[in-house]
Amino acid sequence: MFRVLLNGIAKKPNQLIVTNNSGGSIFANSGNNNNNNNNNNNNNNGLFYLNLFGSNTDNESNNTTINNFKNAYRNFKFHYSTLNRKASSASHSKKKSENNNDKNNTNNNNSNKNKKNYTIINNFEVKKLTKQIELEPYNIENYQKLSEILGARDVAIVNGKEMGQLEIFLEILNIEPKQAYIHYFLYSWLKDIEECDDNYVLTLLDGATKFTLQELLIKEIEISPSFTPPYLKLTNYQSTMLEDRIVIPILMKNNRFEWVGLNKLELFLKVLDIEPDNLVANHSLATFLVVNNLKEIQMMNGENLSTFEICKRNYQLNKNTTPFSSIYLSEQPEITPQQSIKILTEAILQFSNEPTLYLKLSNKLLNNYDLVIIGNDEKSIKLNRLQLLGIAISTQQQFIIDNNIQTIPHSFAESYFKLGCYLENRNQSIKSADSNNNNNNSTWNIISSFTRALEINPNHLECKKQLIQSIDNKEVVLIGSKSYSKLDLLYSMIESSKQNSNTDYYKFIFSSLSNYYKEIDHQKYLKFKNLLNNEIEKRKLKLIRLINQYPFYSEYYHLLYQEMNKDENVLLKGKNNNNKNNKNNNNNNNNNNNNNNNNNNNNNNNNNNNSNNQITMNRIDVLLKSIELDPKRPMLYYQLSEELEDDKSTITLLDGVSIMNKQELLLKESQINPNFSKTYYALSKLIREDNEDDVRNKIEFLSVALSLDTKYSPNVYLELGLLMKRYNIDSFKSQLSRKQMFIKSLEQEDQCLSDFSNAKNSLAWYHLAMEMNDFEVCLGKTKKDIISLIVNKLDPNFTLARLEFLKYEINQMIKNQFDTITM
């Protein structure tokens, strides 16, 4: 849970420091513990929950002024927001010059205005009010009515002097220094109409009282603690949500003010405590929770609200105001995929020019064939995820042009990156389109998508990884105006990792470099192989330290399992009896003497380390421990099924009760992680095809796997093609023929091959050739070319291919003999 606490509330805290404790709470320490003795709650050791700010009851004068000035506030907002947009550039330039010359941060209130841009209003109603002011100079209501009539740059003549809204507000404060709303009006007028900088100092009519713009807001809070706009404006002076603090008066339950340093988050929470439906505060709080991946937060009234509840509330209030209210809600785990798609499609109808909506919606579709419907009338359109990304890219491009953006935000790279990930092979491409699905001239394939993403964000490490995997060793790509080979990209990944202090990709980098140099430079191959091994050892040691320090985190065990070798053991803190089931599991999985010896060694090691509460765990033990700590963690059951030798083997979980075979583990994984394609492919391999129902089930599992991962599924395409051939099925769900299945298998086999000449799957090549006639060309090859490729290069021992090749040779010999006879 995330909650906010204040420690050591003082009248004038000089410094407040924010730290994170292990429980996820955030504390604020005033740094002035001596003042704690002055608090009325000494039993709490100076700790105050924010909900102690409690009721925000105003005094009678505040209630009266709220009624008197609510119309003035509404009218003033309209005047200054409208007129500020129309302010001339000449006025703006002169104002800037005057502010820059104000070196001592003092002002002359009259000289601040550019009088040439002010209009004197002298109609009947204004004359009537100015006369009343002259007769009753201390009647605030007359000034309030005059401020409603005048625009932000209008003036009236009162007692022979020009009086605009600024002078009216100053005069009101001269009469009643604690008049509600006026300090905020002054702030808004100076900030939004005159565009004064934050160092500007306003002197009141008494000549002694001075306020900076920030102090005007704080004074307004002291006068009108239930008026929320000053709190929101103060957040503009804080660059971060947690670190920066502003000391303001807070009305406590005892109806007394305490001066407290609040950070940006606490100011938003304070606004929501006063005004639960405030649009800005709700959206800001939702943004903070989503960006920081927090699950809940404690409000000032002590109530704990989940991020889902906050996002749902924000969506209800702001869905017609900002598209991100829809995006935040759609990303919550409590929202089903169908609900998420509905939320995003409805948002697109209202915010059709927001590219993030199309990007997020594309991520909700499981493959390139699923469609979403945008609209609910005859003008509605159906789009797949590639088309959605095309619209996102086109919308971004138009935004850049319309706003003359020179430095493109890094977030814009994500649409190109996702498009590169979703395109199925090097030959596939799409054209970017507008929100009406009208194509423009930009065409994108896998390589151009990844290179454009890196042009926008050069340190996008995952994008570099995907690009490296998509090109061969001799290929060169252009990123911006610079050419990169595969080797260049790998070395640039090292530099990007250093800049980001990110070692997550070192394993991939060193593995790729060792493979690159394996055939061409033995010394460099050994160098990077050693670096790879060292990196793996570093990771294991780090994870072992984390597990020993935090033994109840399933993630650490899971990561350690992925770094361990098959026969490797690690020494971890724990109790001996926890390893009992692990040893039984080893017996279930390995029915040979070597494994029994390993178990005996484990027993000896456990006895030796008994005094230190340490146990020896093998790879399977570590994975089982991860499952025990988090039975719903994705990938665990699938990986455990991979450890079983065959479909008859079983394994006992650490609860000592659950005994599962390979099929049961895979079905469990499909429940926890329903969008992981390899689970369904593995399940299909367990079906024996004894009857029609078995074949139907096998095809169904394969089709699910294919729908979840159309890009990296060469085996799925091949299996489906072979099934269709064995049972004489012409087409798959009326979409792909047998021949297309084998073509897809070859296309997906190696993403970095654009001509397929090096595709090594001889079985797919052979069956593709058997679906072709002698004159047909597929993937740039005739049937004879394919058979020759298999026999002479891919697999000379492929018997069926050699028989076909022999037929061609015999036919050629007969043809030659016939030609000789006819001659």
Side-chain angles (χ1 to χ4, degrees):
M1 184 190 72
F2 182 88
R3 58 179 181 171
V4 182
L5 304 176
L6 291 176
N7 181 10
I9 295 179
K11 268 198 171 183
K12 292 288 184 181
N14 295 320
Q15 183 182 10
L16 293 111
I17 303 170
V18 179
T19 57
N20 284 320
N21 71 349
S22 59
S25 303
I26 290 185
F27 297 88
N29 186 351
S30 71
N32 189 356
N33 295 328
N34 295 331
N35 288 330
N36 291 341
N37 297 327
N38 297 327
N39 294 326
N40 295 325
N41 296 298
N42 289 331
N43 292 334
N44 292 331
N45 297 322
L47 268 179
F48 283 75
Y49 284 83
L50 280 181
N51 61 4
L52 290 181
F53 297 166
S55 60
N56 298 291
T57 307
D58 292 4
N59 53 34
E60 291 184 9
S61 64
N62 283 338
N63 288 328
T64 303
T65 55
I66 289 174
N67 293 327
N68 288 343
F69 280 89
K70 60 183 179 180
N71 291 327
Y73 170 61
R74 182 165 54 251
N75 291 336
F76 175 76
K77 282 201 302 181
F78 172 77
H79 284 311
Y80 81 66
S81 63
T82 303
L83 292 176
N84 188 39
R85 289 194 295 269
K86 299 179 180 179
S88 66
S89 59
S91 173
H92 177 76
S93 299
K94 178 156 186 177
K95 183 275 304 175
K96 287 290 184 184
S97 175
E98 290 170 355
N99 282 342
N100 290 336
N101 291 331
D102 191 9
K103 301 295 183 182
N104 296 321
N105 293 329
T106 59
N107 75 300
N108 181 319
N109 295 332
N110 291 324
S111 65
N112 187 55
K113 300 187 297 180
N114 182 0
K115 296 183 184 299
K116 292 182 180 180
N117 289 288
Y118 281 71
T119 303
I120 296 176
I121 305 299
N122 199 25
N123 57 35
F124 174 77
E125 193 170 3
V126 169
K127 286 183 178 180
K128 181 180 177 181
L129 282 171
T130 56
K131 188 66 175 176
Q132 289 178 337
I133 290 173
E134 291 171 358
L135 293 173
E136 300 177 276
Y138 299 106
N139 187 336
I140 293 175
E141 185 177 352
N142 291 329
Y143 291 98
Q144 180 261 328
K145 289 179 179 178
L146 182 59
S147 71
E148 291 183 30
I149 295 174
L150 296 179
R153 295 196 178 277
D154 295 340
V155 294
I157 306 300
V158 180
N159 290 323
K161 295 181 179 179
E162 292 181 359
M163 179 174 280
Q165 286 189 335
L166 174 62
E167 288 79 12
I168 291 173
F169 299 146
L170 290 171
E171 191 62 45
I172 290 174
L173 288 184
N174 197 41
I175 299 169
E176 177 50 68
K178 293 186 178 181
Q179 186 66 47
Y181 298 146
I182 302 303
H183 290 84
Y184 180 76
F185 287 170
L186 282 168
Y187 165 86
S188 297
W189 198 93
L190 293 168
K191 187 72 174 177
D192 298 319
I193 303 302
E194 288 300 319
E195 298 182 359
C196 297
D197 61 34
D198 293 332
N199 293 324
Y200 182 83
V201 177
L202 175 71
T203 304
L204 300 190
L205 296 183
D206 62 7
T209 307
K210 297 181 180 182
F211 292 99
T212 63
L213 297 185
Q214 183 175 323
E215 288 168 346
L216 284 171
L217 295 172
I218 294 172
K219 187 64 177 179
E220 187 61 61
I221 289 173
E222 184 179 10
I223 295 170
S224 310
S226 295
F227 184 50
T228 57
Y231 297 95
L232 295 174
K233 292 294 184 182
L234 278 175
T235 63
N236 295 331
Y237 293 90
Q238 296 168 301
S239 59
T240 63
M241 288 293 282
L242 300 178
E243 285 79 11
D244 298 337
R245 292 183 172 275
I246 295 177
V247 179
I248 63 171
I250 297 295
L251 187 63
M252 310 299 283
K253 282 186 175 181
N254 58 10
N255 213 28
R256 292 184 178 182
F257 283 103
E258 291 280 359
W259 286 85
V260 181
L262 298 188
N263 59 33
K264 198 170 193 173
L265 173 62
E266 292 163 340
L267 283 170
F268 287 130
L269 289 172
K270 181 61 181 173
V271 171
L272 292 175
D273 190 48
I274 300 168
E275 186 185 345
D277 290 346
N278 186 277
L279 303 185
V280 175
N282 271 284
H283 188 66
S284 298
L285 181 58
T287 301
F288 173 77
L289 294 174
V290 169
V291 169
N292 291 280
N293 197 29
L294 298 172
K295 293 183 178 180
E296 64 179 13
I297 192 169
Q298 187 181 67
M299 308 300 285
M300 286 193 177
N301 60 6
E303 181 182 10
N304 294 329
L305 293 181
S306 68
T307 299
F308 170 67
E309 292 171 309
I310 297 292
C311 289
K312 182 179 179 181
R313 180 66 173 164
N314 178 51
Y315 172 75
Q316 293 168 341
L317 294 170
N318 282 308
K319 66 179 180 179
N320 297 325
T321 306
T322 168
F324 288 92
S325 63
S326 300
I327 291 170
Y328 294 159
L329 182 61
S330 71
E331 296 292 298
Q332 296 306 304
E334 293 85 351
I335 298 294
T336 66
Q338 292 76 16
Q339 290 173 327
S340 181
I341 289 172
K342 184 176 186 294
I343 291 168
L344 292 171
T345 52
E346 288 178 351
I348 285 174
L349 292 176
Q350 189 164 4
F351 304 97
S352 60
N353 292 326
E354 175 50 58
T356 311
L357 288 171
Y358 300 99
L359 171 62
K360 294 295 184 181
L361 183 55
S362 73
N363 292 337
K364 302 301 177 184
L365 302 183
L366 298 178
N367 56 60
N368 294 345
Y369 308 111
D370 288 346
L371 299 173
V372 291
I373 300 175
I374 308 296
N376 49 16
D377 54 22
E378 65 278 359
K379 294 182 180 180
S380 63
I381 57 174
K382 296 180 180 179
L383 300 170
N384 61 34
R385 67 182 183 183
L386 297 179
Q387 292 168 320
L388 287 167
L389 287 169
I391 296 173
I393 289 170
S394 181
T395 308
Q396 289 175 355
Q397 291 172 331
Q398 193 60 47
F399 179 82
I400 292 167
I401 294 170
D402 292 344
N403 294 275
N404 193 27
I405 294 177
Q406 302 301 318
T407 304
I408 302 175
H410 282 181
S411 59
F412 278 22
E414 199 63 20
S415 296
Y416 296 95
F417 168 68
K418 286 294 185 181
L419 180 58
C421 291
Y422 292 156
L423 287 168
E424 295 180 18
N425 56 68
R426 290 281 297 268
N427 289 342
Q428 190 177 18
S429 64
I430 70 157
K431 288 185 176 181
S432 54
D434 59 23
S435 56
N436 294 318
N437 204 26
N438 298 318
N439 290 333
N440 59 28
N441 295 324
S442 300
T443 302
W444 304 97
N445 58 30
I446 288 179
I447 304 303
S448 62
S449 298
F450 287 144
T451 53
R452 179 56 176 160
L454 290 171
E455 190 177 346
I456 296 171
N457 182 7
N459 292 322
H460 197 311
L461 288 168
E462 185 62 29
C463 188
K464 284 187 179 180
K465 177 182 176 181
Q466 294 292 334
L467 179 57
I468 288 167
Q469 292 175 327
S470 300
I471 62 176
D472 60 33
N473 289 354
K474 297 179 181 180
E475 194 168 356
V476 174
V477 295
L478 197 66
I479 301 176
S481 59
K482 188 175 180 180
S483 297
Y484 288 85
S485 66
K486 190 168 192 171
L487 193 60
D488 296 330
L489 289 168
L490 284 167
Y491 281 111
S492 72
M493 276 194 79
I494 296 176
E495 293 303 316
S496 296
S497 298
K498 288 179 179 177
Q499 290 179 21
N500 298 335
S501 299
N502 185 346
T503 61
D504 293 343
Y505 290 89
Y506 278 177
K507 186 177 176 181
F508 166 78
I509 295 168
F510 297 144
S511 175
S512 300
L513 285 169
S514 65
N515 289 333
Y516 181 90
Y517 286 115
K518 187 172 184 179
E519 303 296 334
I520 60 176
D521 192 325
H522 188 66
Q523 285 188 336
K524 288 186 177 180
Y525 162 72
L526 292 177
K527 170 188 173 182
F528 288 109
K529 190 71 175 175
N530 290 333
L531 285 172
L532 173 62
N533 293 333
N534 291 339
E535 180 63 27
I536 292 172
E537 289 303 315
K538 285 180 185 177
R539 285 167 174 259
K540 283 190 288 192
L541 289 173
K542 180 180 179 181
L543 288 167
I544 289 171
R545 285 196 299 269
L546 287 170
I547 289 171
N548 289 335
Q549 188 175 1
Y550 306 105
F552 302 110
Y553 281 83
S554 171
E555 179 184 6
Y556 296 151
Y557 288 93
H558 188 198
L559 292 173
L560 179 59
Y561 160 81
Q562 296 176 75
E563 300 295 341
M564 292 175 66
N565 297 322
K566 280 278 186 181
D567 301 323
E568 187 175 3
N569 293 327
V570 293
L571 196 63
L572 299 172
K573 287 183 179 179
K575 296 181 180 178
N576 284 338
N577 56 8
N578 284 346
N579 206 39
K580 181 179 179 180
N581 287 318
N582 297 7
K583 289 178 280 185
N584 292 334
N585 289 325
N586 289 339
N587 289 327
N588 284 330
N589 293 320
N590 306 293
N591 298 314
N592 54 61
N593 293 329
N594 291 333
N595 288 324
N596 291 332
N597 291 333
N598 287 337
N599 288 329
N600 292 331
N601 291 333
N602 284 344
N603 291 333
N604 293 332
N605 288 331
N606 291 333
N607 292 332
N608 292 335
N609 294 302
N610 188 38
S611 59
N612 297 325
N613 291 325
Q614 291 182 317
I615 58 172
T616 300
M617 300 177 73
N618 63 28
R619 193 165 181 258
I620 296 178
D621 297 332
V622 173
L623 184 58
L624 287 167
K625 187 63 178 177
S626 182
I627 293 175
E628 181 188 38
L629 294 172
D630 185 1
K632 294 184 178 181
R633 183 175 177 81
M635 294 297 298
L636 297 181
Y637 294 94
Y638 173 79
Q639 290 175 328
L640 188 57
S641 74
E642 293 288 286
E643 298 291 340
L644 299 182
E645 291 183 346
D646 53 53
D647 55 352
K648 294 182 180 180
S649 300
T650 60
I651 193 164
T652 305
L653 303 189
L654 292 188
D655 59 9
V657 177
S658 303
I659 302 174
M660 305 179 77
N661 60 26
K662 186 183 282 281
Q663 179 178 323
E664 291 168 332
L665 289 168
L666 290 169
L667 290 173
K668 182 72 173 178
E669 182 67 38
S670 69
Q671 295 172 358
I672 296 170
N673 189 15
N675 296 333
F676 185 55
S677 64
K678 290 184 179 180
T679 302
Y680 303 97
Y681 177 70
L683 281 167
S684 74
K685 300 290 286 182
L686 299 178
I687 299 176
R688 300 183 185 279
E689 303 178 32
D690 291 334
N691 51 54
E692 289 185 7
D693 288 339
D694 287 345
V695 175
R696 194 177 297 111
N697 289 334
K698 188 164 190 169
I699 291 176
E700 189 60 35
F701 277 127
L702 288 170
S703 63
V704 172
L706 191 61
S707 70
L708 293 173
D709 185 0
T710 56
K711 184 171 182 178
Y712 298 109
S713 307
N715 292 335
V716 179
Y717 282 114
L718 179 59
E719 288 286 340
L720 279 169
L722 294 174
L723 269 175
M724 293 165 67
K725 188 163 187 174
R726 283 199 296 273
Y727 296 97
N728 199 27
I729 301 172
D730 292 326
S731 65
F732 173 70
K733 294 188 175 182
S734 301
Q735 292 179 350
L736 295 176
S737 66
R738 289 195 299 264
K739 184 195 300 179
Q740 289 170 317
M741 286 292 180
F742 297 127
I743 290 174
K744 284 284 188 182
S745 176
L746 292 165
E747 286 178 336
Q748 308 306 326
E749 183 187 351
D750 194 338
Q751 294 298 312
C752 72
L753 298 177
S754 57
D755 61 1
F756 310 105
S757 61
N758 294 321
K760 296 178 181 178
N761 194 332
S762 54
L763 189 62
W765 275 119
Y766 172 76
H767 286 288
L768 172 60
M770 294 300 99
E771 297 293 327
M772 298 166 59
N773 59 47
D774 289 338
F775 307 101
E776 196 173 354
V777 177
C778 287
L779 301 178
K781 301 182 188 304
T782 64
K783 181 176 182 178
K784 183 179 178 181
D785 294 334
I786 293 174
I787 296 299
S788 178
L789 173 68
I790 297 172
V791 171
N792 295 322
K793 187 175 181 180
L794 298 181
D795 189 358
N797 296 320
F798 196 135
T799 304
L800 293 175
R802 289 190 66 82
L803 288 173
E804 286 296 323
F805 187 71
L806 186 59
K807 288 180 184 179
Y808 278 110
E809 287 188 328
I810 293 171
N811 289 336
Q812 187 64 42
M813 289 172 60
I814 294 172
K815 182 177 181 301
N816 292 339
Q817 289 178 0
F818 179 78
D819 291 341
T820 302
I821 293 171
T822 55
M823 289 176 63

